[in-house]
Amino acid sequence: MGTAKKAKSALISVYHKDGLEPIVKKLSELGITIYSTGGTESFIRSLGVDVIPVEDVTSYPSILGGRVKTLHPKVFGGILNRQDHEGDVAQLQEFDIPQLDIVIVDLYPFEKTVASGASEQEIIEKIDIGGISLIRAAAKNYKDVLCVSSMEDYGTFLEVLSSGEGVSSLEERKSFAAKAFNISSHYDTAIFNYFNQSHEIAALKISELNGRILRYGENPHQKGFFFGDFDSMFTKLHGKELSYNNLLDVDAAVNLMAEFQDDDPTFAILKHNNACGLATREILHQAYTDALAGDPVSAFGGILISNREIDLPTAEEIHKLFCEVVIAPSYHKDALEVLKGKKNRIILVQKEVPLPKTIVRTCLNGVLVQDKDHLTDTRENLSYVTRKKPSDRELQDLIFASKLCKHTKSNTIVLARNRQLCASGTGQTSRVDALNQAIHKATSFKFDLNGAVMASDAFFPFPDCVEIADKSGITSVIQPGGSIKDQLSIDYCDQNEIAMVMTGTRHFKH
C-alpha cells in the first residue's frame, strides 16, 4: 500500500455546521461521493450538492429518536476495511459495502451542556455514541481513512484537500488520527468526571485541549507549558506573554482576591505567590496606596490585583511602580491608557468563571489530589476563649488577617491593623521565626503595632508566640486552636489583657 491516497468518498455527520460549506463544495468539485445523515444531509442538499443518505446504504432509517443512525456494519465496514487485505476487499464486494475514505464527524456538546446547568436527562442525551465510534474507527484505520474530528481542523483539512486534489499522505492522515484520539479521550474524560463528581471511584482523569508553550519554566533551562483555557478567564489587553512564574503568581492573586470579592475596594500586591501588600478601604486609590505601604520594596516586579474597576488616580499611582501584571474586573479608559505606558506591563481583565475545586500536584512517582481549602473564617464560627473579647474593629481585622493567612505559605503569621497588612512571616520552619520576621518587617516599614492583630495558620503549641506578640503591642489573636497546650496560650492572654479567638480550622499551605 502506498502512503498517498486519493479519496473517492466521504461520510459527513456533524452537530455544528459552521465552516462546513467550503469543505462540502470542494468535495463536490473534486468528484468525491458524499454520504450523510439527518440534519447534515439536509444542510448539504441546501448547498445544491448531491448527497447519498446513509439509510440508502444500510437499508435502515434513523431510529430511536436519532440515537441510532450510523451504527451499522455497512458503515463501519466501509471505514475499518484494510485496502491491502484481499479478504477485506472481497467482503466489501460481497456485502455491497462502500469504501469510505474520509470521515468528517464532530461530537455532541457534552461539556457545554453540563456547564449550562441543563437537566440530567439533557446531559445524558448529549453523550455521543455514533460519533465517538466513527471517530475511533476512522482514526484507527488512518492508513486508509482520513478522519476530521473537530471543526477546529476544517481549515487544515481544506488545505490538504485543495493542495492534493483529494490526495492525502500517510503522515497527514496519521496527524489527523492523533487529533481524533485527543478529541475522543478528552470527551470520555469529561463524561467520567461528570458521573464521578462524588469521587466514588478513586481515579484521576485530567484532560485539557488547550495548551501553550511558555518561554521556559521557573528557570530558563526548564521547559514550561500551560494547559488550560486562559482566554475564558482573562482578556489580555496589553503587554508581553505571561511566563510560568507569572501564571503561578496570577493564580495566587486570583485565589486570594476571591476572599475579598464582596468586600469594600481591596487591593493586593503579591510576590512569589505571597501577598506583600493588602488593604481594604472606602476608595480604591487609598486601598492601593496602603497596600503598597505594606512592603514597597517587595512590591517591585510584583503582581497587582483589585476587586474593583481601576480608575485614573489609582492607575497614575500604579504607573510609578515597576510591576509585571495588573489584574482587575475592568479599567476606566483613561486609566488603561496610563497603564499601557509601559510596553511590557501585562494588563488583564478577569472574567467571572468558576475556579477548579481541586488541587493537583506531582509527588514522587505520582500525584497528590485534594479539595481546595474552601473554608473561610467568619465571625459566626469563632470561639471566644479569653476573658477579654475583641472589639468590633479588632474582629474586622482578625477576619481580614485570617483570609490573608489562609493564602500565605506556611508556617505563616500575619499582622494587620485597620484592614491593612502590616507584615507577614512566610514559609518559615518555625512559627516563632515567622512571627519575628513579621515584626521585623512591620517595624522596618514604620508600622505601629499597638492595637494590631495577629493571625496564625495553625495552633500555638506553646505560649511563646502570644508573649512575643504582646510585647510588640498586639492586642488580639486569631488561631485554629487544637493544641493539647492551648490553655497555656489562653492563660497568658488572660493574664495580659489580650483577646484571643479560635476558629477550629487550620489553614496550612505547603
Side-chain angles (χ1 to χ4, degrees):
M1 180 185 67
T3 60
K5 182 173 182 189
K6 183 174 179 62
K8 297 179 181 179
S9 61
L11 170 65
I12 309 176
S13 181
V14 298
Y15 184 88
H16 301 96
K17 312 301 187 291
D18 299 342
L20 189 61
E21 181 177 349
I23 289 175
V24 170
K25 290 184 175 179
K26 176 54 71 173
L27 291 170
S28 177
E29 178 187 318
L30 293 172
I32 294 173
T33 301
I34 300 175
Y35 299 87
S36 191
T37 62
T40 308
E41 177 193 338
S42 299
F43 174 79
I44 294 171
R45 289 193 190 284
S46 73
L47 299 176
V49 174
D50 291 335
V51 57
I52 299 174
V54 166
E55 290 93 330
D56 290 358
V57 176
T58 65
S59 299
Y60 268 90
S62 172
I63 62 173
L64 306 181
R67 279 189 166 196
V68 180
K69 296 189 287 285
T70 57
L71 293 168
H72 193 280
K74 283 198 171 184
V75 174
F76 282 86
I79 296 170
L80 284 167
N81 72 88
R82 295 157 291 186
Q83 287 292 288
D84 61 347
H85 191 285
E86 290 184 9
D88 285 8
V89 174
Q91 286 191 319
L92 288 187
Q93 295 174 347
E94 178 184 356
F95 296 108
D96 193 25
I97 298 174
Q99 166 66 25
L100 296 172
D101 303 312
I102 296 171
V103 173
I104 303 174
V105 182
D106 64 4
L107 299 171
Y108 294 159
F110 178 82
E111 288 181 281
K112 286 185 178 179
T113 304
V114 172
S116 73
S119 69
E120 183 173 61
Q121 188 55 43
E122 290 175 297
I123 291 170
I124 297 302
E125 288 304 318
K126 288 300 185 290
I127 298 177
D128 207 313
I129 303 300
I132 200 80
S133 302
L134 291 169
I135 286 173
R136 289 177 62 84
K140 172 180 178 175
N141 203 28
Y142 70 88
K143 288 184 178 180
D144 290 307
V145 182
L146 194 158
C147 178
V148 183
S149 56
S150 168
M151 59 188 298
E152 301 298 325
D153 296 324
Y154 283 0
T156 304
F157 171 65
L158 194 56
E159 289 177 12
V160 171
L161 203 61
S162 301
S163 62
E165 293 294 306
V167 176
S168 62
S169 69
L170 180 64
E171 291 75 17
E172 288 169 333
R173 295 193 297 277
K174 190 171 184 179
S175 175
F176 276 97
K179 293 177 180 179
F181 283 120
N182 184 31
I183 292 290
S184 66
S185 63
H186 178 81
Y187 197 74
D188 284 340
T189 295
I191 294 170
F192 169 77
N193 287 334
Y194 170 75
F195 278 93
N196 198 41
Q197 292 180 72
S198 61
H199 305 298
E200 293 179 5
I201 302 173
L204 173 65
K205 296 186 188 297
I206 300 174
S207 179
E208 289 289 350
L209 294 178
N210 300 298
R212 66 173 69 179
I213 300 173
L214 305 174
R215 295 196 301 274
Y216 50 80
E218 282 186 284
N219 301 291
H221 62 277
Q222 296 169 267
K223 290 182 180 179
F225 305 86
F226 173 71
F227 295 98
D229 191 358
F230 184 86
D231 293 336
S232 71
M233 188 165 183
F234 297 101
T235 298
K236 183 167 173 278
L237 302 178
H238 183 73
K240 62 184 180 181
E241 290 299 311
L242 282 95
S243 69
Y244 183 99
N245 293 333
N246 287 156
L247 289 168
L248 285 175
D249 283 331
V250 168
D251 176 72
V254 166
N255 281 289
L256 171 62
M257 192 52 71
E259 302 282 352
F260 299 90
Q261 204 58 48
D262 299 322
D263 290 9
D264 289 337
T266 301
F267 213 104
I269 305 171
L270 289 89
K271 195 74 171 288
H272 301 305
N273 302 168
N274 291 313
C276 58
L278 179 70
T280 299
R281 294 292 182 262
E282 295 300 319
I283 60 172
L284 189 66
H285 175 264
Q286 192 62 52
Y288 170 72
T289 301
D290 290 347
L292 180 63
D295 189 344
V297 175
S298 297
F300 182 86
I303 306 292
L304 280 57
I305 187 167
S306 166
N307 69 346
R308 294 287 189 276
E309 177 178 274
I310 292 183
D311 53 25
L312 180 59
T314 307
E316 289 174 336
E317 286 300 317
I318 292 172
H319 194 58
K320 299 173 184 177
L321 174 73
F322 168 71
C323 58
E324 291 274 356
V325 183
V326 182
I327 308 166
S330 59
Y331 300 82
H332 186 278
K333 63 177 182 177
D334 293 335
L336 187 58
E337 288 308 307
V338 170
L339 293 175
K340 285 182 176 180
K342 294 185 179 178
K343 67 176 183 178
N344 287 331
R345 179 183 285 145
I346 300 165
I347 304 174
L348 301 176
V349 173
Q350 183 182 346
K351 305 173 188 177
E352 289 189 21
V353 297
L355 295 173
K357 296 179 180 179
T358 55
I359 297 173
V360 181
R361 63 196 296 184
T362 58
C363 180
L364 303 176
N365 62 346
V367 295
L368 288 170
V369 181
Q370 68 169 345
D371 294 336
K372 270 194 171 179
D373 183 356
H374 62 277
L375 293 178
T376 297
D377 297 326
T378 64
R379 293 192 184 198
E380 288 71 29
N381 61 20
L382 299 181
S383 297
Y384 299 85
V385 297
T386 54
R387 288 195 298 267
K388 183 181 179 183
K389 302 300 183 282
S391 66
D392 284 343
R393 193 271 301 169
E394 286 174 325
L395 275 173
Q396 187 178 53
D397 284 346
L398 288 169
I399 296 301
F400 173 92
S402 173
K403 289 179 179 180
L404 178 51
C405 196
K406 171 183 167 183
H407 293 274
T408 307
K409 194 81 168 175
S410 297
N411 284 326
T412 185
I413 291 289
V414 169
L415 307 180
R417 191 169 186 270
N418 295 327
R419 295 190 297 174
Q420 178 184 20
L421 171 62
C422 299
S424 56
T426 63
Q428 300 302 306
T429 54
S430 159
R431 199 159 302 281
V432 171
D433 287 345
L435 175 55
N436 285 329
Q437 181 193 48
I439 293 171
H440 173 75
K441 287 189 69 174
T443 54
S444 69
F445 291 117
K446 311 302 182 187
F447 279 100
D448 180 2
L449 293 179
N450 286 301
V453 305
M454 174 175 72
S456 173
D457 60 340
F459 63 63
F460 299 124
F462 303 102
D464 44 9
C465 282
V466 290
E467 182 177 354
I468 295 169
D470 173 37
K471 292 177 178 177
S472 298
I474 290 162
T475 57
S476 193
V477 177
I478 185 169
Q479 58 126 330
S483 170
I484 60 173
K485 296 183 178 180
D486 275 345
Q487 194 61 46
L488 295 177
S489 295
I490 295 170
D491 289 344
Y492 182 91
C493 290
D494 280 340
Q495 293 162 11
N496 293 276
E497 289 298 302
I498 298 172
M500 179 187 287
V501 296
M502 292 184 180
T503 65
T505 304
R506 189 182 73 185
H507 292 293
F508 269 160
K509 187 173 185 289
H510 287 94

